[in-house]
Amino acid sequence: MKKAALHIDKYFITGDIDERIYGSFIEHLGRAVYGGIYQPESPQADKNGLRQDVIELIKKLNVPVVRYPGGNFVSGYHWEDGVGPKDKRPEKIDLAWNVIETNQFGLNEFMDWARAAHTSPMMAVNLGTRGVEDAKNIVEYCNLKGGSYYSNLRRSHGYEAPHNIKLWCLGNEMDGPWQMGHKNAVEYGRIAAEAGRIMKMVDPDIELVACGSSGLQMDTFGSWEDTVLSECYDQADYLSLHQYYGNYDNNTADFLANTVAMDKFISSVISICDSVKAKKRKSKNINLSFDEWNVWYHSAEQDKQLERWCKAPHQLEDIYNFEDALLVAGMMITMLRHADRVKIACLAQLVNVIAPIMTSDTGAWMQTIYHPFALISNFGRGHVLHTITDAPVYESSHGDAPYLDAVCIRNEEQDTLTIFAVNKALDDDMELTCDLRQFADYAVTEHIVLTHEDLKAINTEENPDNVAPVRAAKSAQIEGGQMTAHLCSKSFHVIQLGKC
Ligand code: AHR
């Protein structure tokens, strides 16, 4: 049995949780839109073609913000193709994913969908094949009341009231050589500054996310962030981070140790933001938008076989297993531990494409990774307490990795304290203790556990609850002001404490 302890103090607060840390992402890619959230021919669809079974699953995830329409797709996108009468919309080639885009779903349909799914938009502009003028036009179309060409155009499309989109991405992964209109850091920093300046002239209340690196593995990581921010510090509010992990060598311990790499990535980006701040003698902080994160590798080989120029193919359809769910829990815990600076994060993506939700023509179901996301999103509101984890470590390719990933969340309104914890030990249970004398009148009110004996277990349409959370019976108690919880090997736990 491994032994670990958490040390917290109710006055030592890391930061408030910005609910947008529980965001997600819908790209025009594969079956995310067509056959995912939008499928007019489905018996599950409403009169606008929006799949209601999918919306119900999304509502339970409690996702406050959804990034749209890309991703790589946005870097070749003409948003005007996807507005106005549907029979006039052009079918175009999408060079990001080598498919045909029908444009039957576009900006206005997305806004209708977002309202129905109880979420809000994080809209990306094309700074790949387009630029400053297009960025101005789309903000005018979305956010001005009327009385100008683009705002009147929106009204003529049946949307009298402005969409009032407050959060915008200045392009996508512009450091990536695969990106249409790929730029070096100075080129991108300049266009981000100018597009951002003009977008804020149209609507001064918007917030902007500049592109950071497409991952820690990029050769330009570090210098990219430094140069880009040096160019657009005044216009940007957030800098993006993207990272996907895979268990390529079938080494689960090493795969779960990726939280160490993610933690270093976040700390490094914060350091660079603050270094540019210091060099420029600014008072404003640049916060972080981790707007693409997930496990992504299962579908890589299969996707190489895809034929070009089809419509809505099965693309990037990773089937997630139980160990993926453990890492997803660990990644969310890692971001929460930086809640003072990570203000936005988007699980990439939401439906069918590297997603927690899958659909067929007959139904929709939850993949394994749905569960840690839903639990943390629903229980993880309030502020993060600075959580010191005292746990044994193991060697990994990322350095020493603790067997425990954990964070404590305090919700003063509800008078609760919630612990999220992953026991990464594959063959060993763990006894977790925490001194709770500051919470003298608290008792354990919930203990939910996600575990499975088979690390490779998956959920399918036929067997959707194979990997699902359950209530743990009497595995956490408080005695003499100390909580003791039993964490079985390879498991994720939500332990909520409150007044009895
Ligand atoms: O999420 C899938 C793709 O991953 C996105 O389009 C791109 O931004 C990233 O490389």
Side-chain angles (χ1 to χ4, degrees):
M1 170 93 79
K2 299 224 164 3
K3 286 188 188 294
L6 297 179
H7 302 289
I8 53 168
D9 185 303
K10 68 177 176 185
Y11 298 110
F12 292 179
I13 295 168
T14 296
D16 286 339
I17 298 172
D18 186 322
E19 62 168 19
R20 296 173 302 173
I21 204 168
Y22 303 123
S24 189
F25 179 26
I26 286 283
E27 176 167 3
H28 281 252
L29 161 54
R31 298 189 306 127
V33 172
Y34 305 106
I37 60 172
Y38 176 76
Q39 195 175 23
E41 65 281 11
S42 164
Q44 303 285 350
D46 68 1
K47 63 180 187 347
N48 297 319
L50 305 179
R51 275 189 69 155
Q52 298 302 299
D53 52 347
V54 175
I55 284 181
E56 286 316 307
L57 288 178
I58 292 170
K59 280 191 201 158
K60 288 188 195 137
L61 274 182
N62 212 348
V63 183
V65 70
V66 175
R67 184 165 173 253
Y68 173 84
N72 296 338
F73 171 79
V74 78
S75 296
Y77 186 45
H78 283 217
W79 61 270
E80 302 89 328
D81 295 340
V83 295
K86 288 193 172 180
D87 58 351
K88 300 246 161 34
R89 298 187 190 176
E91 294 203 341
K92 287 199 170 167
I93 54 169
D94 162 25
L95 289 170
W97 301 107
N98 295 322
V99 294
I100 299 291
E101 170 57 51
T102 64
N103 284 305
Q104 290 304 294
F105 187 96
L107 193 160
N108 292 316
E109 287 82 22
F110 179 73
M111 293 307 297
D112 291 339
W113 172 84
R115 209 164 296 116
H118 296 179
T119 190
S120 64
M122 175 179 188
M123 190 66 68
V125 299
N126 175 355
L127 294 187
T129 60
R130 302 184 98 185
V132 177
E133 177 158 15
D134 167 53
K136 173 202 140 276
N137 294 345
I138 188 172
V139 178
E140 180 186 330
Y141 182 93
C142 291
N143 287 11
L144 287 204
K145 263 195 189 155
S148 68
Y149 176 78
Y150 283 104
S151 55
N152 287 345
L153 187 64
R154 182 199 68 241
R155 294 171 69 169
S156 77
H157 293 155
Y159 293 82
E160 190 61 27
H163 293 314
N164 259 323
I165 298 174
K166 292 302 173 204
L167 186 58
W168 295 79
C169 302
L170 294 165
N172 176 69
E173 293 191 349
M174 298 308 302
D175 61 325
W178 58 86
Q179 203 67 213
M180 283 177 269
H182 160 63
K183 293 170 178 46
N184 68 34
V186 175
E187 289 165 345
Y188 171 68
R190 288 292 306 132
I191 199 173
E194 284 310 302
R197 193 164 65 84
I198 293 192
M199 289 165 80
K200 284 190 171 175
M201 282 164 75
V202 180
D203 183 349
D205 295 332
I206 60 176
E207 290 191 308
L208 298 174
V209 183
C211 293
S213 293
S214 306
L216 189 57
Q217 72 285 355
M218 297 299 289
D219 288 342
T220 49
F221 171 71
S223 65
W224 173 271
E225 279 73 7
D226 187 61
T227 306
V228 166
L229 280 184
S230 301
E231 296 292 342
C232 69
Y233 201 95
D234 289 337
Q235 291 75 28
D237 300 287
Y238 306 91
L239 188 67
S240 75
L241 296 82
H242 290 182
Q243 193 73 60
Y244 297 96
Y245 298 115
N247 188 1
Y248 298 97
D249 305 327
N250 196 18
N251 178 344
T252 303
D254 214 53
F255 175 62
L256 297 180
N258 274 307
T259 52
V260 174
M262 188 184 205
D263 186 69
K264 280 186 197 155
F265 186 22
I266 293 171
S267 299
S268 306
V269 176
I270 292 171
S271 302
I272 300 167
C273 290
D274 291 349
S275 141
V276 181
K277 175 185 172 185
K279 280 190 277 187
K280 286 184 168 283
R281 297 165 172 77
K282 296 286 181 190
S283 54
K284 167 179 106 172
N285 270 347
I286 297 286
N287 284 322
L288 273 46
S289 172
F290 213 128
D291 48 45
E292 285 189 34
W293 67 269
N294 203 347
V295 173
W296 173 16
Y297 75 109
H298 296 284
S299 57
E301 283 309 308
Q302 182 185 318
D303 285 348
K304 289 184 190 151
Q305 319 299 326
L306 281 174
E307 283 196 18
R308 276 149 63 96
W309 316 135
C310 48
K311 293 177 185 169
H314 289 252
Q315 210 167 4
L316 276 67
E317 296 203 358
D318 272 37
I319 304 302
Y320 290 113
N321 59 32
F322 169 58
E323 68 184 12
D324 299 329
L326 288 181
L327 183 61
V328 161
M331 291 170 88
M332 293 183 84
I333 288 169
T334 305
M335 289 187 282
L336 283 169
R337 291 174 64 87
H338 289 281
D340 52 334
R341 298 301 290 274
V342 180
K343 295 295 173 187
I344 303 165
C346 303
L347 172 67
Q349 299 192 11
L350 187 53
V351 182
N352 287 330
V353 170
I354 44 173
I357 298 168
M358 295 300 289
T359 69
S360 70
D361 288 345
T362 46
W365 64 98
M366 298 172 261
Q367 294 228 61
T368 60
I369 62 168
Y370 182 100
H371 296 298
F373 189 96
L375 286 168
I376 296 179
S377 168
N378 282 292
F379 280 91
R381 309 285 170 139
H383 58 245
V384 174
L385 294 182
H386 182 62
T387 310
I388 295 171
T389 54
D390 183 2
V393 297
Y394 61 96
E395 265 177 47
S396 82
S397 60
H398 312 291
D400 281 353
Y403 280 103
L404 176 73
D405 283 329
V407 69
C408 295
I409 313 292
R410 174 115 166 89
N411 187 318
E412 284 189 62
E413 251 168 56
Q414 292 172 6
D415 213 351
T416 57
L417 180 73
T418 303
I419 299 168
F420 299 128
V422 177
N423 176 10
K424 295 191 277 195
L426 301 178
D427 303 305
D428 220 355
D429 293 1
M430 181 180 280
E431 185 188 84
L432 178 67
T433 53
C434 185
D435 184 336
L436 290 178
R437 278 173 297 174
Q438 282 180 327
F439 302 92
D441 46 356
Y442 274 29
V444 177
T445 50
E446 280 281 10
H447 184 175
I448 299 168
V449 58
L450 183 70
T451 189
H452 203 285
E453 59 194 16
D454 180 3
L455 286 163
K456 308 297 179 188
I458 59 170
N459 291 345
T460 60
E461 185 169 18
E462 295 71 36
N463 190 6
D465 298 322
N466 184 28
V467 179
V470 292
R471 289 218 149 73
K474 295 204 178 109
S475 342
Q477 286 118 36
I478 305 182
E479 236 182 79
Q482 167 152 296
M483 184 206 74
T484 307
H486 182 90
L487 313 184
C488 53
S489 68
K490 45 181 184 321
S491 55
F492 164 59
H493 299 255
V494 179
I495 302 170
Q496 190 168 62
L497 306 120
K499 292 210 169 117
C500 354

